[in-house]
Amino acid sequence: MIAASVGGTDATHDPGLQSWLESANDPATDFPIQNLPFGRFRRADDMDWRIGVAIGDQVLDLRRARLIESYDMNLIMRLAKEPRQALRAAISNGLQSGSPLEKQFREALVPQSRVELSLPCRIGDYTDFYTSIHHATTVGRQFRPDNPLLPNYKWLPTGYHGRSSSIAVSRRGLGHTFKRPAGQTMPAGATTPVVGPTARLDYELELGFFISRPNVVGEPIPIEDAEDHVFGVALFNDWTARDIQPWEYQPLGPFLSKNFASTLSPWMVTMDALAPFRSPFKRPNGDPAPLPYLESASNRDRGAIDIELEVWIQTEKMRAERLAGDRLTASNYADAYWTVAQLVAHHTVNGCNLCDGDLFGSGTLSGPRPDQAGSLLELTQGGKKPITLSNGEVRGFLEDGDTIILRGYCQRDGFRRIGLGECRGTVQAGRRL
Ligand code: MN
């Protein structure tokens, strides 16, 4: 068996596992029995958000299945490795074909089409990183053609503290809807800024990692332990106003250009589920080796995660014509320059405390090729080279009514393909100032 030879995998990753739930065995589902991502949901008659696991086209209510007592996802996220993996094994066992628990579990299923989904946990603090060297180089070149990467880039994973209260979940239909933000911009050639709706609204293709176990303030997390502090991952869109950003961000970094809205997909795919899809983490020849606190044998052997990522656009006109939309980009998280273990080790090296539910944005995940750009800023070269969509519409940046859909999945020979679901958001006309 290939499964047995891959580090961190166990019986729950066996590609031969089948569920008594037919929709979980559909080759096209993002949520086969090998995935088991966590989220929060409620039915129309519920007061409280419940903890569920996506399976096929259903949600398994973990409390109703008598697997947990809690309604608090953050408590579940704080579980130590052994009870956490025991819970995963119990869910997997009960959902397997022939399980004696089938009847009990069937009574705990709710169709995904009938539930309301919430953000998957209480998000505390939110940090956005900048881990794609391809994104950093392409964007840096627009501002500093001869010197696109600043000297710190290859030595530390840089980031900024963002705003968690405006992060919303992707829902059915139009997903997370938000109004086009307004702000202050300095038009090219002008000497006085103006205020008004952004004319350069963009998306950023990112992953969001959720912190599981807290550390005590003053106690850094060594890189060897870092992944014990990460629960899982979802798709994340860090919407950005590209005209507000360059005028406001010097010298302190992003502010109102980003804090008006960010969108998360509803299901946290756990680090346990990702075990089969790990890759060696290598730097290009000639690049400096990370400092010792950012380096470990396991980070070199399997620090990267092979997640295929896609960005799709569906304009209002496409929606009216019942067109599914166009794919704008495909890239892979394994091309990032910093691993999630390095982000945790660096974030805490000064003693900063992380808490359950803290969110780390990966930064825009552009790949090495120009067509793998994770934002319109890169794809259209700052709006200078607009793209023509399949129905003839042209975009430099986003128009009102545009829906952006992020998708992600993992596949590897010898394992079942698993998906992250979808992160969908739609920009609406802004308020008049
Ligand atoms: Mn970002």
Side-chain angles (χ1 to χ4, degrees), residues 40 118-128 160-171 176-178 206 208-210 234-239 258-266 357-361 423:
R40 292 194 298 174
S118 152
L119 284 170
C121 65
R122 281 193 317 280
I123 299 172
D125 283 313
Y126 154 52
T127 305
D128 198 27
Y160 66 94
H161 285 134
R163 188 165 186 86
S164 53
S165 59
S166 50
I167 300 172
V169 73
S170 167
R171 295 169 191 276
H176 169 206
T177 54
F178 63 93
E206 302 199 19
F209 288 92
F210 297 89
L235 297 160
F236 186 61
N237 186 343
D238 178 24
W239 305 94
K258 286 174 177 286
N259 68 5
F260 55 91
S262 318
T263 311
L264 263 178
S265 59
D358 284 359
L359 181 70
F360 282 9
C423 176

Side-chain angles (χ1 to χ4, degrees), residues 123-405:
I123 299 172
D125 283 313
Y126 154 52
T127 305
D128 198 27
F129 287 90
Y130 200 48
T131 64
S132 163
I133 196 169
H134 310 295
H135 172 71
T137 304
T138 308
V139 172
R141 197 175 282 130
Q142 293 187 13
F143 299 100
R144 298 175 302 275
D146 302 326
N147 184 28
L149 280 186
L150 293 174
N152 61 0
Y153 189 85
K154 294 181 177 181
W155 293 100
L156 57 81
T158 188
Y160 66 94
H161 285 134
R163 188 165 186 86
S164 53
S165 59
S166 50
I167 300 172
V169 73
S170 167
R171 295 169 191 276
R172 283 190 298 278
L174 296 177
H176 169 206
T177 54
F178 63 93
K179 292 188 165 55
R180 175 177 295 270
Q184 188 179 129
T185 62
M186 179 65 95
T191 53
T192 306
V194 296
V195 65
T198 174
R200 292 161 72 89
L201 183 66
D202 201 356
Y203 56 83
E204 290 190 339
L205 166 63
E206 302 199 19
L207 289 168
F209 288 92
F210 297 89
I211 296 300
S212 54
R213 298 170 68 69
N215 63 306
V216 174
V217 65
E219 302 278 342
I221 299 172
I223 190 165
E224 292 80 8
D225 301 342
E227 288 200 13
D228 278 344
H229 294 261
V230 182
F231 185 74
V233 66
L235 297 160
F236 186 61
N237 186 343
D238 178 24
W239 305 94
T240 303
R242 299 293 181 199
D243 41 6
I244 299 172
Q245 184 178 14
W247 174 234
E248 73 168 4
Y249 89 134
Q250 302 287 2
L252 289 181
F255 181 32
L256 302 178
S257 56
K258 286 174 177 286
N259 68 5
F260 55 91
S262 318
T263 311
L264 263 178
S265 59
W267 298 106
M268 297 187 286
V269 172
T270 63
M271 296 300 282
D272 293 326
L274 293 169
F277 308 104
R278 306 303 298 258
S279 296
F281 175 68
K282 291 196 274 299
R283 287 186 154 190
N285 288 335
D287 278 13
L291 294 178
Y293 79 100
L294 294 172
E295 172 116 285
S296 74
S298 79
N299 194 60
R300 282 191 300 274
D301 293 346
R302 54 193 309 271
I305 315 176
D306 191 353
I307 305 177
E308 302 280 353
L309 298 164
E310 297 180 352
V311 181
W312 292 69
I313 187 169
Q314 186 193 47
T315 67
E316 197 163 26
K317 196 165 165 228
M318 290 172 172
R319 213 157 29 247
E321 293 166 359
R322 304 204 176 281
L323 299 171
D326 288 358
R327 195 176 79 178
L328 295 173
T329 295
S331 71
N332 192 304
Y333 179 54
D335 288 323
Y337 196 79
W338 296 98
T339 66
V340 66
Q342 289 173 322
L343 304 187
V344 170
H346 184 66
H347 204 306
T348 61
V349 69
N350 66 345
C352 175
N353 53 323
L354 300 178
C355 297
D356 48 271
D358 284 359
L359 181 70
F360 282 9
S362 61
T364 309
L365 292 172
S366 303
R369 297 199 318 267
D371 65 308
Q372 294 177 305
S375 66
L376 287 174
L377 177 67
E378 297 156 86
L379 272 186
T380 69
Q381 295 178 28
K384 288 201 288 284
K385 299 213 165 140
I387 47 176
T388 302
L389 304 176
S390 58
N391 68 346
E393 288 182 278
V394 173
R395 288 292 182 276
F397 288 97
L398 298 174
E399 303 286 339
D400 293 346
D402 285 352
T403 298
I404 292 293
I405 304 133

Side-chain angles (χ1 to χ4, degrees), residues 1-45:
M1 284 289 296
I2 294 170
S5 68
V6 174
T9 59
D10 58 30
T12 65
H13 303 96
D14 182 341
L17 287 185
Q18 296 266 311
S19 176
W20 42 258
L21 178 68
E22 237 356 271
S23 65
N25 303 325
D26 179 349
T29 185
D30 278 347
F31 309 124
I33 192 170
Q34 292 82 357
N35 192 348
L36 308 177
F38 286 71
R40 292 194 298 174
F41 74 98
R42 63 184 175 196
R43 286 167 291 203
D45 54 349

